[in-house]
Amino acid sequence: MTSPFKNQSFTISHADSGTFKGAGLRPFFEYRDLGIKDATKGTHGAHVIRAVPGAKSPGAWHSHDLDFQMVYVTQGWVVFEYEGPEDEEGGEHILRAGSCVLQPPGIKHREVRHSDDMELIEVISPADFPTTDEDAP
C-alpha cells in the first residue's frame, strides 16, 4: 500500500524504547536515532546526542556540507566556537538547557567542551552529509 503522505511515513520514537549508540560522528558523544531519516527517505534526520561521561572533545575544527542543521540543548551545557567576528555571532558560545542554534551550511565550528550530563537534539537535512576537517579560521 502506498503512503498517503508526500514522501514521508508516520513515525513515533519513545525515549524508553530508544537506544544510544556510540557509532556516530564524534566518539565523545552517543547518538539515539529518532526515526526521521527512514520516515523521510533520508531528506531529513534527527537524533538525540548525549555526552559520554568523562570523554573530552579534542576541539577539532570542521564543517558540514548540508542544507540545514539545528541544535537544541535539553540538558547540561556545551561550548561551541564558530568562525567569524564576534559582532557577527562568531567566537565561543555557551549553550545551556533551552538554548537553540541554527548553524548555517558550511560554517566552520568546533565543540570545545561540555558537561558530562549534556544532551541535545539535532535536526539536519539531508540525513547523511559529508564532514570536512578544517584549519582554525
Side-chain angles (χ1 to χ4, degrees), residues 12-129:
I12 296 176
S13 177
H14 296 285
D16 56 356
S17 60
T19 57
F20 282 88
K21 297 179 181 175
L25 185 60
R26 306 283 175 227
F28 45 90
F29 290 149
E30 294 178 318
Y31 301 77
R32 181 170 70 89
D33 180 50
L34 296 177
I36 306 304
K37 177 181 176 179
D38 290 343
T40 64
K41 299 182 177 113
T43 63
H44 295 77
H47 43 265
V48 179
I49 301 173
R50 72 179 180 191
V52 174
K56 304 298 179 208
S57 168
W61 285 95
H62 62 280
S63 64
H64 306 296
D65 184 11
L66 42 57
D67 297 322
F68 180 86
Q69 183 180 26
M70 188 223 47
V71 172
Y72 181 85
V73 179
T74 59
Q75 181 175 302
W77 56 267
V78 60
V79 177
F80 287 109
E81 185 175 10
Y82 297 95
E83 69 176 316
E86 288 186 27
D87 62 344
E88 295 178 16
E89 302 301 330
E92 284 193 9
H93 294 271
I94 301 171
L95 303 173
R96 297 175 185 84
S99 297
C100 180
V101 62
L102 177 65
Q103 296 181 173
I107 190 171
K108 292 180 184 179
H109 63 284
R110 67 183 183 149
E111 193 274 349
V112 179
R113 60 191 171 280
H114 56 268
S115 62
D116 277 349
D117 66 341
M118 190 280 305
E119 189 171 284
L120 57 83
I121 296 171
E122 181 178 56
V123 179
I124 49 179
S125 179
D128 293 319
F129 54 88

